[in-house]
Amino acid sequence: MPLFSHRFPTASSTGPATPSYYSKPSKGHKHNSSASSRIHVAIVLFSLVSLFIGVAGTIFAITSSSGGGPSSVYRCGGSRDTSLRVSGSRKLGGNGGVLPERRKVVGLVGIQTGFDSGDRRAALRSTWFPSDPDALLRLEQATGLAFRFVIGRSKDAEKMAELEKEIKEHRDFMLLDDFEEEYLRLPYKTLAFFKAAFKLFEADYYVKADDDIYLRPDRLGTLLAKERLHSQTYIGCMKKGPVITNPKLKWYEKQGNLIGNEYFLHAYGPMYVLSAEIVASLAAARNGSLRMFNNEDVTIGSWMLAMDVHHEDNRALCEPRCSPKSIAVWDIPKCSGLCNPEIRLKELHNMEICSKSPTLPPDDLDQ
């Protein structure tokens, strides 16, 4: 049956004959043949348009209800491949060379790691860091935080092959293609991380953390979800101290003469947080335009000193033992991280106060 039924008056047996295209219409007929033709054309066009709208609406409804879109804002384009490869040319390996749309998260946590830290990563994946991609996605959905191991490249083909196997198995890496891993170049790696992170994630905060600390992701998420008055915020365990100018000592600073006798206020290196506006400025900086000191934490602190940032001192990010308020635990000041992290990470995780104590509301964390 047609979509529309159009009925016209018919002539009675005693009335005038129905007009045709070849005969002159009678005076009693009010509509001439050309008007009737136009009406037919308009009705047909209207019917076709209505049919098209109806079919399009049906297709849209079916598509919307089929779950074709991402199930969560924290899922990367619906893909479960959580490893990310970044190069200065803005290409991503493993994704057809196309940089994906920036994911929106509350915070991105970059766990800085190296080629000799496989045992540390294994220990982390057996404790607070999920060991498989599905569990990692669930953690990100629960906390609003994305987590990635951050590593550069190596000239050693065997090491790269081993890393590729680990990436394929766990899919939890951000690989910096244009940076070659070297401990003495940590400030450069940190800058490369923030630049890459800003390309890939639209986060409120970007977190740098080392692979030898015990972290409570739920409490970190609570900390970062707090409202702050300052758009440029630098969060960490703030410190000052004498500048080390003796080349034989561990924390020797070659450019100490530019600093003076005492360091400016800056956060301990194992973990700190930068707000999005700060990272945007770092990402826009030309390569070679920022001063690099020997020590990574001092380098970041110097950049913060040059910017109008708010220093937020939070001791929950550097507690030596687990407590109801601890966010990050490491053996401060004995070690710049956990001493013997492969063992200590598991020991801490087996303690109920470390892994199972409840997360306090934001207001209680400040007290």
Side-chain angles (χ1 to χ4, degrees), residues 28 39 52 75 137 186 256 270 277 292 299 351 359:
I39 291 174
F52 175 77
R75 183 183 294 275
L137 280 173
L186 283 181
E277 194 168 307
M292 299 289 183
T299 301
M351 299 170 62
T359 299

Side-chain angles (χ1 to χ4, degrees), residues 25-306:
S26 65
K27 293 182 180 180
H29 194 69
K30 296 182 180 180
H31 302 286
N32 58 35
S33 61
S34 61
S36 176
S37 175
R38 287 196 297 269
I39 291 174
H40 276 288
V41 172
I43 290 174
V44 170
L45 289 175
F46 179 76
S47 301
L48 290 174
V49 171
S50 300
L51 177 63
F52 175 77
I53 293 174
V55 172
T58 303
I59 293 174
F60 176 78
I62 294 173
T63 304
S64 300
S65 62
S66 65
S71 60
S72 168
V73 296
Y74 304 118
R75 183 183 294 275
C76 185
S79 171
R80 292 180 177 272
D81 186 359
T82 57
S83 63
L84 302 171
R85 177 179 280 108
V86 186
S87 67
S89 60
R90 291 183 61 83
K91 291 183 178 180
L92 230 71
N95 193 30
V98 179
L99 192 70
E101 182 180 354
R102 296 172 72 206
R103 289 179 57 191
K104 292 184 178 181
V105 292
V106 175
L108 169 67
V109 184
I111 309 297
Q112 311 298 306
T113 190
F115 285 92
D116 297 327
S117 298
D119 290 340
R120 291 186 185 182
R121 292 192 294 273
L124 284 170
R125 293 192 186 104
S126 68
T127 56
W128 67 265
F129 195 104
S131 59
D132 65 86
D134 289 335
L136 182 61
L137 280 173
R138 288 195 296 271
L139 177 62
E140 293 176 2
Q141 291 167 353
T143 61
L145 307 178
F147 298 85
R148 298 290 183 273
F149 286 112
V150 182
I151 193 168
R153 300 193 67 83
S154 173
K155 293 180 179 178
D156 189 320
E158 186 175 343
K159 288 184 177 180
M160 285 304 300
E162 288 297 319
L163 177 62
E164 290 294 345
K165 290 180 182 179
E166 190 176 348
I167 289 174
K168 185 176 181 180
E169 178 181 358
H170 296 286
R171 295 181 294 183
D172 53 11
F173 281 85
M174 181 187 292
L175 179 58
L176 306 176
D177 272 332
D178 292 345
F179 178 81
E180 186 175 342
E181 281 289 332
E182 184 180 349
Y183 181 77
L184 295 178
R185 289 175 52 83
L186 283 181
Y188 295 89
K189 179 180 179 179
T190 301
L191 180 59
F193 157 63
F194 283 124
K195 284 177 176 284
F198 190 76
K199 286 181 183 179
L200 294 165
F201 291 87
E202 184 180 346
D204 296 329
Y205 297 94
Y206 297 83
V207 183
K208 180 267 179 182
D210 289 344
D211 60 4
D212 55 357
I213 65 172
Y214 187 85
L215 181 65
R216 280 290 298 263
D218 52 343
R219 293 178 182 172
L220 178 61
T222 300
L223 173 68
L224 300 186
K226 291 173 56 178
E227 292 188 9
R228 291 177 171 82
L229 298 177
H230 304 277
S231 60
Q232 296 191 115
T233 301
Y234 173 35
I235 310 171
C237 293
M238 299 298 167
K239 63 170 180 173
K240 286 185 176 181
V243 177
I244 307 300
T245 56
N246 186 344
K248 296 181 180 180
L249 298 180
K250 182 177 181 180
W251 306 117
Y252 166 63
E253 185 53 67
K254 185 178 180 179
Q255 302 179 80
N257 62 303
L258 299 178
I259 301 173
N261 295 325
E262 185 178 66
Y263 283 119
F264 37 78
L265 188 68
H266 64 284
Y268 278 101
M271 184 174 184
Y272 54 83
V273 183
L274 302 182
S275 63
E277 194 168 307
I278 296 176
V279 176
S281 298
L282 297 180
R286 301 192 319 273
N287 290 336
S289 64
L290 296 174
R291 183 177 296 278
M292 299 289 183
F293 290 96
N294 283 29
N295 300 301
E296 174 253 340
D297 55 350
V298 173
T299 301
I300 293 293
S302 71
W303 300 342
M304 299 303 101
L305 193 65

